Amino acid sequence: DTINLKFRRADDYPIDLYYLMDLSYSMKDDLENVKNLGTELMREMAKITSDFKIGFGSFVEKTVMPYVSTTPLRMMNPCLGNHNCTSPFSYKNVLSLTKDGKKFNNLVSQQQISGNLDSPEGGFDAIMQVAVCEKIIGWRNVTRLLVFSTDAGFHFAGDGKLGGIVLPNDGQCHLEGNMYTMSHYYDYPSIAHLVQKLNDHNIQTIFAVTEEFQPVYKELKNLIPKSAVGTLSSNSSNVIKLILDAYNSLSSEVTLEHGKLPDGVSIQYKSFCKNGVTQTGDDGRRCFNISIGDEVNFHISIESQKCLSKDEIIKIKPLGFNEELVINLKFICDCQCSSGGEANSKKCFDGNGTFECGACKCNEGRIGRVCECSKDEVRTEDLDANCRKDNGTDICSNNGDCVCGTCECKKRENPAEVYSGKYCECDNFNCDRSNNNLCGGHGRCECRKCICDANYTGSACDCSLDTTPCLAKNRQICNGRGECKCGSCRCTGSKFQGPTCELCPTCPGVCAEHKDCVQCRAFQSGDKKDTCEKECSNFNMIKVKDRDKLPQPTDQSFPLTHCKERDANDCWFYFTFSVRNDTNEVVVVEQLECPAGPDIIPIVAGVVAGIVMIGLALLLIWKLLMIIHDRREFAKFEKEKLNAKWDTGENPIYKSAVTTVVNPKYEGK
């Protein structure tokens, strides 16, 4: 049966928002910006809803080693230096949900930073308590948002063993005096456990984390339905914008989920979203970009493969919302046509059964498709012999029941899968597969063999007969160097490679390959001059007068290569190589292009002139240097001459001609 479900995004829908913050020491500057969050967020959320409540909680880490230092001094103040920090704790509900933004500001302003030893924090313990302690937190049956703010990673189930904690988290509320008291007793919750509790309590999570841990929490977001990740600045200054953007993203998406289905019951979704977008399969459960007032439709198809004896219930709800659709399933096991059956009908072997709903319902003691056999008149062994293929031991190939000497094949849960054949030896689902598709998706399965569609062959119809993928650039299949099998080339030689056998890393080019043969046939020279007739008869050669007469690629409907090669005399010759109608064809210019010989006289004259000019230049340079040197010496002489000062006293080498002798006895009398 198919049910039509309509969803419309309501205007002015009430919102509860709980802000859960990491209060380890690295979040010190963030706390300052969160202290005024209450009134500012109230003002912004008033633009979205008139009924808004806000709460606040904080977390650090389990209060056991090695997560925190358990020395008495560090338990009082876990921060180093002169920093004043509060005692470590696991989770504390600071403020239950309230409409009083000022109260939020006052209580948050009184909070103090704490500290721990390791980098990952115990945030999962806090999320679990926020989710399951509905009455203490004050959650209402409205949109529930949990903002998780941190700058670090997280511990999860199993990490508690480091502190000697091995009991799994019980998922129960353990808040006493607004403090989580069992962090030392229960391990961290697992991600799956956390997802279950968040879904059960319709809580949508917003992870406000720093840029460093974005990849980690984006992976976590993929595991938690109806969650979002925002980039938190280093001091949480952008937290209001982050919350508003995340809320708009979450509220514009609707995803349906259902509870556990009864045995044999399956459910399929088909969504009709905005702008005519239709989705099926797993995407049929969701629609995106839903604005306030927009309406989207879902077609929900429910199918049962079994007839259950009691009624069942299926609950379908949009993630993050409290409203749900309850579907009561009532199973009709008897067809309505059975009430109009024809008792003792002649259609059932002379009245041995009741003909109802197009088949015979045999009377007691009769069996068979039309009740043609009596249980008392025939032996089971005789009947079973007719149900064994080739006198084997398996009755109806173990895929059916032998009823009155005829095999009635079993029914499978999937109605598209059918056993068939006289002995139920055939089926349409046990054929070879390719790429996990029955018969490669290119055929049908009949009696365990694939009947392939046109252009496909192979036991699993995985071999394409289309040769288009094998065409090389020259329009030849596999470049003439291989054969096309199942849509891909198998190159015949080890030298050729690639999808179309066009790559040959060790092969010379076409020009180099045919150079010697073209040279010997056109100009009777080259390395193959003596063996030309024997080795160079594999192409037709045409001579033209000049290069303009050579074929051009734009004029040809077949591959063409232009070549320019040089012989031993440094003369160039030009030719083209092509394959026309499976025949190699070479067109060559009959005249060699040789470089002109050098003119000796100008060269000799130039060399002599150059030598003379260089000699004159050297002489001029020498003369110039000598002039400069002489001038410097003369200037130096003139300078010393001006600075000379001559002594005007007696000549030091002058000696007087007069000698004076004094008598020592002379007293001047």
Side-chain angles (χ1 to χ4, degrees), residues 21-22 24-33 83 113:
M21 184 176 181
D22 176 7
S24 58
Y25 187 77
S26 58
M27 296 285 285
K28 182 178 180 180
D29 54 345
D30 301 74
L31 181 60
E32 294 299 321
N33 288 313
H83 302 289
I113 290 294

Side-chain angles (χ1 to χ4, degrees), residues 374-448:
S374 171
K375 293 181 179 179
D376 300 330
E377 294 175 358
V378 297
R379 295 191 310 168
T380 303
E381 293 80 2
D382 296 337
L383 296 177
D384 289 347
N386 295 326
C387 297
R388 292 188 177 97
K389 182 180 179 181
D390 299 331
N391 292 324
T393 58
D394 296 333
I395 296 177
C396 298
S397 304
N398 290 329
N399 295 322
D401 299 319
C402 187
V403 179
C404 197
T406 303
C407 285
E408 291 189 1
C409 301
K410 295 178 181 178
K411 305 293 183 183
R412 291 180 60 84
E413 291 186 5
N414 186 353
E417 298 178 353
V418 178
Y419 289 110
S420 59
K422 180 179 179 181
Y423 303 102
C424 301
E425 74 278 13
C426 297
D427 62 60
N428 64 349
F429 54 87
N430 272 325
C431 291
D432 291 341
R433 293 176 178 266
S434 178
N435 294 329
N436 205 29
N437 292 321
L438 191 66
C439 296
H442 303 299
R444 64 185 185 277
C445 182
E446 292 185 3
C447 202
R448 301 186 179 183

